[in-house]
Structures are given as C-alpha cells and as structure tokens.
C-alpha cells in the first residue's frame, strides 16, 4: 500500500522520524542514573510503548488514567505509574484487581484517599505502590498549571508518613509535575531556571522524608519540555516524557531536539475562491489548542489553517507558487498529539512513502 492509497482523514506516523525520536531520548538516558518513564497517554498504543522500552534508558511507563493502565498491562507492560489521583470505590477496586498481577503505582495527595486505597487494597489482599504528588506550581516563578498535589515540605512529609503507616500500601516516593511551568518559558535557559527552581523543592522534600527514616525510591518529574533538564537534575530518578515520540506543534520548544512524526492526512474538497481552500478534516479529526491555537500545514509555505469546524478545515493561502486544487492531499501537524490521537482507531505507519503497518490505538477513548 502506498500513502496515496490511504483514504482521508487519516492519522499517519512517519516511522523513521518516530524511531529517531525514540533513539535520541533513549540515548540521553541510557548512561544516566535518571531514567525515562515513558508517558503512554499520548500514543495510547502499546506497540509504541514497547519500542520505547526496548530502546533502553527507560524504566516502565506511566499513564494518566486507570483504564489506559489496564490496556497497557494487558499488552504485556509491567511497571506502570498512573500519574494521577484515583478516587472512588469502583476505581480503587479496579486498581486493586490490576495490582494483583501487575506492578502498578498511583499518585496521592489526600489522607482520605490514602485510607480508601488502603481499605480496598486489604479487601483484595494486595499492596499498591504509592507516590505522594507535590504541587510545584508556585516555585518555578513563572505561570504554571497549578493542578493536583500537596505543597512540598512538611505537608508532603506527613502524607508520606501516613502511607508508610497504612496497611495495603507501599510508599515508593514523590512525584512533582513541574512540566506544566516549563511550557510557559520559551527559551531553553529560562525554562531551565524555572525547572531548577521547582525541582529544588521536590528534592528537598525527598531529603526531609528520608530524614524521617523513610526510603524514597522514586522521585518522578519532568516531561517533553524538559527531559534533558529534569533528566540531568541530581536526585530526580525518572522523567515522565511522552509526546516526544510523535511530537506536535505545542511541544516544539527551544532546545528540545525531536521531529514531528505525526500528521493527519487530509484532502482538499473545495476551493471556493482564490486563496481559500477547504480540507476534509475538522474537529472530529484534529484538535486545536486551549487558546484556539491551530494545527500547522506540513511542507507548504504560505498556507495556514484559519479555522476548524466540526468537519472542515478552512485554509488560507498567501503568495504560494502552486494553488491548492480539488483532490490535493495535505498533511497537518496536530497542535497536541494526545487529543488528536484519541479521535482515531488506528495509525497508518509509513516508511519511504509506503504503508508498512496499521497499529490499532487500543487505549483510545480510555478516559476513566
Ligand atoms: C503528570 C504528567 N507527567 C508528564 C507529562 C508529560 O507530558 P509530555 O511528554 O507531553 O510533556 C504530563 C502531561 O500532561 C503529565 O500530566
């Protein structure tokens, strides 16, 4: 099958580019004390996670959702960290069931949640690995996500003590998602400074927990925006990067040298007047950023997406040498790979212009 034989809209991986991305990040971590923990929420596809793990430099994967973890475990991946709080009886029961046959860990930031995890884990006769989640948002000194997590310092230490003294749970360490703040600093040096400012609090809290006589095996942080910063910071044991494998417009930061390997293939279905064309992919096939940021057109200078409707992309062409014509095929870089991948059943995997595989996106839609 040739790329021309794929009907549109369709999700396409440039396999050479993805393999180069995987190899380059694996190479960075291979000889470091800090390892990669591949965030599989972006590709939602076990075969890609397996490729990352085989490339070396990695210790397990993470997922954002329990249902993603269930899919990855069923595909033979052991050592999964759900980098999120899992709350409510039904989910904790599923987590406990999973923990009976898979090394699964979860983040906590609340004593009530710790008690619920403990009670249900004991009912199931299992033990669940737990990391205390720290909110590092206010410590990078630039705007940040401000999501889940307790403050670093004594609040985190008392949660760690609670986990240690609670049956059915195993305290594994700390997690801090300073990645959120990294995104807002466009220059590498500025980002590095912000990330260091935040990580200092994570590492210091780890020392405080150790001073309380508790073993801290994992200090988990980082993301695609800073894998080469957090990955070199003393005391961080693993970096949670995921988008780098496929890449998108959003993660294309200064100093992050990976290629965009993911595109949405689309066809021009109308050229209503000069300088305007309509493509057959809209919000059902490609997403935009939270501030309305648009996907980008691959390889055609002067063509931009002006607007996305549910079924259509509005393309504006300025000073292009060859006008877009009916039936032309274009490739678009998603603004964020995560939610665009979530819209498709499969990837078309391309090498040298040929379709070499179709990979089912088995964790697609796993939002529970
Ligand atoms: C907890 C956590 N860790 C890591 C990441 C890293 O993701 P990325 O590789 O896209 O930077 C995310 C992204 O949302 C996250 O929520």
């Amino acid at each position: 099958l040739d790329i021309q034989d794929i009907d549109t809209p369709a999700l396409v991986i440039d396999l050479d580019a993805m393999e180069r991305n995987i190899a380059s990040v694996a190479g960075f971590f291979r000889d470091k004390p800090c390892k990669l923990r591949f965030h599989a929420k972006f590709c939602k596809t076990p075969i890609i996670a397996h490729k990352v793990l085989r490339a070396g430099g990695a210790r397990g994967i993470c997922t954002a959702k329990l249902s993603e973890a269930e899919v990855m475990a069923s595909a033979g991946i052991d050592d999964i960290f759900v980098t999120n709080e899992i709350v409510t009886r039904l989910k904790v029961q599923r987590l406990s069931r999973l923990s009976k046959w898979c090394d699964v860990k979860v983040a906590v930031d609340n004593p009530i949640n710790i008690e619920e995890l403990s009670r249900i884990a004991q009912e199931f006769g299992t033990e669940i690995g737990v990391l205390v989640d720290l909110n590092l948002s206010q410590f990078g000194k630039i705007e940040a996500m401000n999501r889940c997590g307790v403050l670093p310092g004594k609040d985190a230490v008392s949660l760690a003590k609670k986990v240690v003294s609670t049956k059915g749970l195993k305290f594994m360490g700390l997690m801090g998602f300073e990645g959120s703040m990294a995104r807002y600093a466009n220059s590498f040096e500025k980002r590095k400074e912000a990330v260091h400012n935040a990580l200092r609090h994570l590492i210091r809290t780890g020392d405080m927990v150790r001073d309380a006589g508790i073993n801290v095996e994992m200090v988990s942080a980082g993301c695609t925006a800073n894998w080469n910063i957090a990955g070199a910071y003393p005391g961080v044991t693993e970096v949670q990067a995921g988008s780098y494998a496929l890449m998108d417009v959003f993660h294309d930061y200064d100093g992050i040298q990976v290629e965009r390997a993911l595109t949405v293939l689309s066809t021009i279905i109308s050229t209503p007047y000069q300088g305007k064309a309509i493509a057959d992919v809209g919000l059902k096939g490609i997403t935009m950023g939270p501030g309305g940021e648009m996907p980008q057109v691959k390889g055609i200078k002067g063509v931009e997406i002006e607007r996305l409707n549910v079924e259509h992309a509005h393309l504006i062409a300025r000073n292009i040498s060859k006008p877009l014509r009916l039936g032309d095929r274009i490739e678009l870089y998603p603004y964020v790979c995560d939610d665009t991948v979530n819209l498709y059943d499969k990837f078309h995997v391309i090498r040298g212009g040929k379709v070499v595989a179709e990979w089912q996106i088995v964790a697609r839609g796993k939002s529970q």
Side-chain angles (χ1 to χ4, degrees):
L1 216 62
D2 199 86
I3 189 164
Q4 297 306 325
D5 301 319
I6 301 173
D7 211 347
T8 63
L11 198 56
V12 169
I13 292 179
D14 174 341
L15 186 55
D16 289 331
M18 187 192 86
E19 286 177 350
R20 282 193 292 271
N21 292 346
I22 291 175
S24 111
V25 175
F28 174 87
F29 284 102
R30 199 165 292 127
D31 301 320
K32 298 243 178 348
C34 180
K35 296 294 171 213
L36 170 71
R37 180 172 289 278
F38 180 61
H39 215 316
K41 85 184 184 100
F42 299 93
C43 64
K44 308 179 198 303
T45 304
I47 184 157
I48 299 178
H50 279 296
K51 280 178 174 292
V52 169
L53 294 173
R54 271 204 301 272
R59 174 188 302 132
I61 67 162
C62 40
T63 65
K65 296 289 183 170
L66 175 61
S67 49
E68 292 170 341
E70 289 167 335
V71 168
M72 294 293 159
S74 302
I77 294 173
D78 204 32
D79 192 350
I80 304 175
F81 174 21
V82 183
T83 57
N84 223 336
E85 283 65 16
I86 294 186
V87 175
T88 73
R89 181 176 52 86
L90 292 177
K91 281 210 185 60
V92 179
Q93 287 174 337
R94 273 167 50 197
L95 175 69
S96 300
R97 214 169 286 131
L98 183 61
S99 76
K100 293 195 77 128
W101 62 276
C102 172
D103 174 4
V104 62
K105 297 169 265 280
V106 65
V108 296
D109 70 356
N110 188 297
I112 299 170
N113 183 220
I114 292 174
E115 276 159 25
E116 183 176 51
L117 287 165
S118 159
R119 185 170 39 78
I120 297 174
Q122 287 179 78
E123 277 167 24
F124 277 73
T126 189
E127 192 178 59
I128 300 171
V130 163
L131 284 89
V132 171
D133 187 6
L134 305 194
N135 182 348
L136 300 175
S137 295
Q138 31 186 300
F139 301 102
K141 300 204 175 78
I142 51 173
E143 190 188 345
M145 195 179 255
N146 203 11
R147 208 169 55 184
C148 310
V150 278
L151 289 179
K154 59 180 184 6
D155 291 354
V157 177
S158 70
L159 271 195
K161 284 183 180 161
K162 178 154 181 82
V163 174
V164 170
S165 65
T166 306
K167 286 199 184 118
L169 304 183
K170 180 163 194 254
F171 177 77
M172 300 302 299
L174 304 177
M175 153 176 158
F177 182 45
E178 84 309 329
S180 62
M181 76 187 54
R183 301 200 164 124
Y184 298 94
N186 41 15
S187 95
F188 185 77
E189 286 309 318
K190 208 171 148 218
R191 193 159 359 107
K192 189 169 172 181
E193 191 189 327
V195 170
H196 283 186
N197 280 337
L199 289 179
R200 200 170 299 133
H201 294 269
L202 175 65
I203 301 303
R204 194 178 301 144
T205 305
D207 290 340
M208 288 168 69
V209 175
R210 286 190 190 95
D211 288 346
I214 299 169
N215 182 34
V216 181
E217 194 178 314
M218 293 170 65
V219 178
S220 195
C223 63
T224 291
N226 69 16
W227 54 269
N228 47 3
I229 302 172
Y233 195 86
V236 174
T237 67
E238 53 177 58
V239 166
Q240 304 170 7
S243 298
Y244 76 90
L246 298 175
M247 268 307 268
D248 51 35
V249 176
F250 177 59
H251 289 90
D252 230 340
Y253 306 100
D254 173 38
I256 302 300
Q257 293 127 359
V258 286
E259 303 168 50
R260 294 180 190 171
L262 182 74
T263 53
V264 171
L265 191 64
S266 174
T267 304
I268 303 299
I269 57 163
S270 174
T271 52
Y273 51 82
Q274 203 190 348
K276 169 132 186 170
I278 303 291
D280 68 349
V281 65
L283 291 166
K284 283 183 185 166
I286 197 160
T287 57
M288 54 188 189
E293 300 90 344
M294 288 295 152
Q296 290 177 4
V297 181
K298 177 179 175 182
I300 318 175
K301 276 213 172 68
V303 179
E304 277 172 25
I305 301 175
E306 182 198 36
R307 193 150 48 95
L308 285 174
N309 300 139
V310 175
E311 320 285 1
H312 301 99
H314 295 243
L315 299 168
I316 297 296
R318 290 184 193 90
N319 305 323
I320 55 170
S321 49
K322 203 168 127 251
L324 288 169
R325 280 209 276 270
L326 208 67
D328 278 357
R329 288 150 73 89
I330 55 170
E331 284 181 81
L332 307 177
Y333 293 119
Y335 187 72
V336 176
C337 55
D338 187 356
D339 35 11
T340 295
V341 170
N342 205 36
L343 299 171
Y344 288 85
D345 291 328
K346 64 183 174 192
F347 292 113
H348 298 269
V349 184
I350 308 290
R351 204 192 295 274
K354 297 274 180 221
V355 182
V356 293
E358 288 183 357
W359 293 339
Q360 298 303 311
I361 304 169
V362 275
R364 146 192 204 188
K366 298 292 179 197
S367 59
Q368 291 194 339

